[in-house]
Amino acid sequence: MLRFIFRILFVVLGLGIFGYFGFDAVAPLWYRVTGTVVEGRVIGFLAGKHSPSVQPEPTGVRKGRRLARRPVFRHPVALGAKDSLDTRSRTGGFLLFGHYDLHQSVTVVMPKGQPERAQILGFRLMFMGVIASLFGLFIAWMGWSGKG
């Protein structure tokens, strides 16, 4: 019975990871097709996942390891608008060599009328979402098949 419960938990956890990170991989493409596309600029990087502090360096050291930081970008609230909004990226990158630079111009996509849900349209962040969602599918497969 305990084995069955753990298998169910693995399936639920794997599908949860797949859904959360799969959204990060697919949403920028969906917003590109159905939403608004504007040009933005990277203004800094988050010091931590939930930290309000914005740092100028794209990498940080945590527990003795260098890690990539999530970009914070400034973009107009609509196409041709003068007002701008600072948005924090939902997805972080794990590749140090392909990370964004400070003041780099980026393509920003957002749903129509919802600039607070803006995301960077870029291979670097979507690749992280694809890798993490594949890991979630692997966990769900382990729970479903009982192997691993």
Side-chain angles (χ1 to χ4, degrees):
M1 182 66 174
L2 188 61
R3 182 179 222 168
F4 178 73
I5 291 172
F6 274 105
R7 286 179 66 183
I8 295 296
L9 289 175
F10 263 59
V11 169
V12 170
L13 175 67
L15 293 178
I17 290 172
F18 174 74
Y20 182 80
F21 289 103
F23 176 80
D24 291 341
V26 175
L29 297 174
W30 179 253
Y31 294 161
R32 172 77 169 109
V33 173
T34 63
T36 306
V37 180
V38 295
E39 282 298 313
R41 186 163 305 278
V42 175
I43 60 168
F45 304 90
L46 291 179
K49 183 176 180 180
H50 302 289
S51 173
S53 175
V54 177
Q55 306 294 319
E57 300 89 20
T59 60
V61 177
R62 290 192 200 117
K63 298 181 184 175
R65 296 183 346 197
R66 291 184 63 83
L67 297 173
R69 291 180 171 165
R70 297 167 188 243
V72 178
F73 53 97
R74 181 171 289 148
H75 60 90
V77 295
L79 194 59
K82 300 222 187 261
D83 293 336
S84 64
L85 185 65
D86 294 348
T87 306
R88 299 161 188 260
S89 178
R90 235 178 78 126
T91 307
F94 62 91
L95 302 174
L96 293 177
F97 62 85
H99 207 63
Y100 293 98
D101 295 323
L102 191 62
H103 304 298
Q104 179 179 350
S105 181
V106 292
T107 302
V108 178
V109 293
M110 64 188 113
K112 290 186 185 213
Q114 297 178 333
E116 67 279 357
R117 293 182 53 198
Q119 293 188 2
I120 295 175
L121 178 67
F123 174 75
R124 299 170 192 167
L125 296 178
M126 289 189 304
F127 179 69
M128 176 61 192
V130 168
I131 295 296
S133 62
L134 290 176
F135 177 68
L137 283 179
F138 175 69
I139 291 175
W141 172 79
M142 281 183 9
W144 185 263
S145 67
K147 298 179 182 178

